[in-house]
Amino acid sequence: MNVLLVAIMVVFGIAAILCVVRIIRGPSILDRTVASDVLLTEVMCVLGADMALNGHTRNIPVMLIIAAVSVFGSISVARYVARRDNTTS
């Protein structure tokens, strides 16, 4: 079981590093938004795995807040990009 946990932590760590690199390098705001959504989803998966392994439900409110921030952030960026595209045409 410990080997499996270490493997999972390594995979999540590499994915988080790659998401942060994509957030920093871009090249567009949509790439950064998708990378931040993936990073927030990964954080939610880690919190869910922690709840499953330790048998508690204390992280559910945190997961709900993370999901709300992710959805509202994506919607606001999409509206910004759509408005910007309409003004240039």
Side-chain angles (χ1 to χ4, degrees), residues 19-62:
C19 286
V20 170
V21 167
R22 177 53 58 194
I23 290 170
I24 291 171
R25 292 187 67 191
S28 71
I29 192 168
L30 295 176
D31 291 329
R32 290 182 172 105
T33 303
V34 169
S36 66
D37 282 344
V38 170
L39 187 61
L40 289 173
T41 303
E42 184 180 347
V43 168
M44 287 179 20
C45 288
V46 169
L47 289 174
D50 175 57
M51 287 191 315
L53 290 174
N54 294 326
H56 65 82
T57 58
R58 292 185 300 254
N59 292 339
I60 290 178
V62 175

